[in-house]
Amino acid sequence: MKPITLALGAATGAVLVLSLAGCVATPPAATDAKPAAAPAATTVDAVMRESFKETGIAKLDRLNQSDLQRACSAASATGKTVDGKTAVALQNAARAAIKYPADGKYLGDWKRGEAIAQNGRGLQFTDTATTVNGGNCYACHQIDKAELAYGNIGPSLTAYGKKKGNSEAALKAAWGRIWNSHSVTACNAMPRFGDAGILTEAQIKDVMALLFDPASPVNK
Amino acid sequence: MKKCRVAAIAVIAAAVWLPAGPSLAQDTTKEIERYRQMLADGNPAELLEMRGEGLWKEKRGPKNVSLEACDLGLGAGKVQGVNAVLPRYFADVNRVMDLESRLVHCQVTLQGLNRADLVKRPYSLAAGERQTDHEALVAYLVGQSRGAKVNVPQAHPLEQAAFKRGEQMFHFRGGPYDFSCATCHGEEGQRIRLQDLPNFGTPADAQRAFTTWPAYRVSQGAMRTMQWRIFDCFRQQRMPELIFLSQASIDLITYMGVKAKDGTMDVPAIKR
């Protein structure tokens, strides 16, 4: 059975639903023993800070919001999309920081890419510094039609390469999207796989191959 | 009678672990449906409710008293329907508490139990592990709210402040994935893999989610509490570890509870 995380990572069918017990978080270790009547913090920031503890690789600095996170949170709380001027500024900043592959090659191995797209592990407080992160693309996207357990937070990516072609421009556009999705649409839901260091350059090449390689089942 | 049914439930629950080989998603959905039907007149959490009732009425702790005098918000000793009106403000501690916080509070103040011990390991997380006393007590208490209408109070300023913070926290994007609760629970009809995600922006979804937690998770063979639900969603969100009974947990439960107003409590529920 492959290692999966409770919801974001999973394999198909029965494995998804019936094998979750092995993936349950480890027990919370020592918890603070503050008396129930301690004076309560009142601001969101202060309350968040006292409500979490560092466990393993998940340090409290994860509560420090970047400008992007702060702007997107504020928009989300009002139920609206981020305003046009802010969106353009965020998109420009994201685009300027994209690192394209040093060797000019965009495509790796689609088979490895499929495994990365299936894998939802990584960066949880139950993971370690040596856990190989997945991309968990299937959590949000339909990709290979043979995989039925796909989510719908993002658009379907079936036949992606067939539709987009293999031009340098198409490859660069997809690379930028995966590196930092906010370079295209500020405040959308997709993680910044390159920018936030979730996937390595080599891993991004592999998922790119899953989308673009004519031999990939995505384009069959 | 009851005993037989409970034993049958245990067998079914055990069987759920067996067919873990890969199979198609549709099969899984069908399997789940089958277990649902088999379990329709008996949720394994009933066992836990019974154990919890025993613990609630038993004289325990240094003071050797039961929890029956505990005031969960509707007056000392009142347990019917309490989960539908929590979290709420408690004047004796001058703060808002959810069911699980108040339960621990009563164990400390009435029974003289040590808070640090009580919060050290509230959830049974190893596969097949016996459920904790905390989980059993919660199962019993929430079971007393079946059929009650959700009406989480918003009269006291601290209740309003908890709701407002909870709302902000629900939209707080952070961590390496930039996720907030709203990323997964803020749109209509969203799904991660095959799991439907309730949208707390719509009353019907919010009601369905709030009124069915705590729940017995067939996939884990255990009942999970609302504090656990949020703890585990924050884990998926790649945030640091949420502290059991923390103010953020209470604020978020308040937010979700207010959003679920007029839903009908049906807990402990049974889930995949």
Side-chain angles (χ1 to χ4, degrees), chain A residues 76-95:
Chain A
S76 175
T78 63
K80 298 198 194 96
T81 50
V82 67
D83 72 86
K85 226 172 108 194
T86 310
V88 169
L90 293 172
Q91 282 160 203
N92 287 342
R95 206 170 308 129

Side-chain angles (χ1 to χ4, degrees), chain B residues 150 199-200 202-213 256 259-265:
Chain B
V150 177
N199 168 19
F200 282 91
T202 62
D205 266 26
Q207 287 170 355
R208 200 172 326 116
F210 189 80
T211 58
T212 54
W213 273 87
M256 294 190 290
K259 288 292 198 181
K261 188 169 165 56
D262 292 336
T264 304
M265 274 292 168

Side-chain angles (χ1 to χ4, degrees), chain B:
Chain B
M1 253 321 262
K2 184 95 179 174
K3 237 197 196 144
C4 286
R5 191 163 119 213
V6 159
I9 291 165
V11 169
I12 294 164
V16 172
W17 292 104
L18 301 177
S23 83
L24 288 178
Q26 285 95 332
D27 291 352
T28 308
T29 315
K30 249 192 263 157
E31 277 299 277
I32 293 285
E33 204 35 58
R34 197 165 64 85
Y35 288 123
R36 276 244 169 79
Q37 277 164 16
M38 277 157 78
L39 297 170
D41 70 338
N43 181 336
E46 282 177 21
L47 281 170
L48 201 61
E49 285 181 55
M50 282 156 60
R51 192 180 128 204
E53 181 172 11
L55 285 167
W56 181 259
K57 294 180 175 163
E58 187 185 322
K59 294 193 169 105
R60 299 168 79 222
K63 297 190 189 163
N64 197 36
V65 292
S66 82
L67 284 166
E68 287 164 296
C70 177
D71 180 0
L72 292 164
L74 294 180
K78 291 256 164 35
V79 292
Q80 293 291 328
V82 286
N83 198 40
V85 292
L86 285 168
R88 57 163 288 150
Y89 173 78
F90 286 90
D92 57 354
V93 289
N94 190 33
R95 62 188 301 170
V96 175
M97 288 178 144
D98 69 320
L99 179 81
E100 293 176 63
S101 303
R102 191 64 183 177
L103 168 61
V104 169
H105 172 79
C106 283
Q107 288 172 282
V108 172
T109 53
L110 291 178
Q111 297 182 314
L113 291 169
N114 182 297
R115 186 172 195 276
D117 293 340
L118 292 170
V119 302
K120 203 184 299 171
R121 207 171 184 294
Y123 321 123
S124 57
L125 293 176
E129 183 186 350
R130 178 180 157 84
Q131 299 236 252
T132 63
D133 286 353
H134 176 75
E135 288 165 329
L137 282 161
V138 169
Y140 165 62
L141 290 175
V142 302
Q144 300 302 304
S145 294
R146 273 194 202 92
K149 278 248 179 312
V150 177
N151 190 13
V152 174
Q154 281 287 286
H156 194 277
L158 288 184
E159 292 167 346
Q160 293 161 11
F163 173 85
K164 282 220 185 74
R165 277 194 310 265
E167 182 170 46
Q168 298 289 309
M169 286 171 194
F170 199 83
H171 294 278
F172 184 99
R173 294 185 71 165
Y177 275 51
D178 309 324
F179 285 167
S180 67
C181 312
T183 307
C184 297
H185 299 292
E187 290 296 334
E188 213 54 50
Q190 274 193 170
R191 236 173 48 223
I192 279 194
R193 292 278 186 162
L194 295 176
Q195 298 151 50
D196 292 321
L197 300 166
N199 168 19
F200 282 91
T202 62
D205 266 26
Q207 287 170 355
R208 200 172 326 116
F210 189 80
T211 58
T212 54
W213 273 87
Y216 181 87
R217 298 295 299 268
V218 174
S219 53
Q220 299 178 5
M223 193 207 75
R224 300 296 182 205
T225 72
M226 184 58 117
Q227 283 276 336
W228 175 88
R229 182 65 266 176
I230 300 175
F231 156 89
D232 204 61
C233 276
F234 269 126
R235 177 174 69 91
Q236 295 172 55
Q237 210 173 311
R238 273 70 183 177
M239 295 303 262
E241 188 178 334
L242 181 68
I243 295 171
F244 179 58
L245 311 185
S246 58
Q247 187 66 43
S249 70
I250 294 167
D251 292 348
L252 280 163
I253 298 171
T254 303
Y255 172 72
M256 294 190 290
V258 170
K259 288 292 198 181
K261 188 169 165 56
D262 292 336
T264 304
M265 274 292 168
D266 185 20
V267 280
I270 184 157
K271 304 240 162 183
R272 63 170 190 92

Side-chain angles (χ1 to χ4, degrees), chain A residues 101-145:
Chain A
D103 61 4
K105 295 205 179 81
Y106 288 91
L107 305 183
D109 174 346
W110 70 261
K111 287 189 183 133
R112 283 200 304 254
E114 166 69 11
I116 293 163
Q118 289 281 0
N119 178 5
R121 299 261 338 232
L123 297 171
Q124 302 186 349
F125 62 72
T126 44
D127 293 315
T128 69
T130 58
T131 306
V132 175
N133 297 339
N136 209 12
C137 318
Y138 282 106
C140 300
H141 294 287
Q142 183 180 35
I143 310 176
D144 179 349
K145 274 204 174 123

Side-chain angles (χ1 to χ4, degrees), chain A residues 12 28 56 69 75 77 109 134 154 163 173 176 181 185 187 190-191 201:
Chain A
T12 29
Q69 291 171 335
D109 174 346
K163 284 182 204 147
S181 190
T185 322
C187 298
M190 179 160 147
E201 183 184 280

Side-chain angles (χ1 to χ4, degrees), chain A residues 167-210:
Chain A
S167 68
E168 167 105 12
L171 295 174
K172 269 189 96 163
W175 185 278
R177 163 70 79 172
I178 297 168
W179 188 273
N180 185 345
S181 190
H182 303 274
S183 64
V184 187
T185 322
C187 298
N188 81 91
M190 179 160 147
R192 295 165 289 126
F193 289 102
D195 189 62
I198 300 165
L199 297 178
T200 63
E201 183 184 280
Q203 286 179 306
I204 296 177
K205 289 182 178 188
D206 292 338
V207 291
M208 283 284 289
L210 177 67

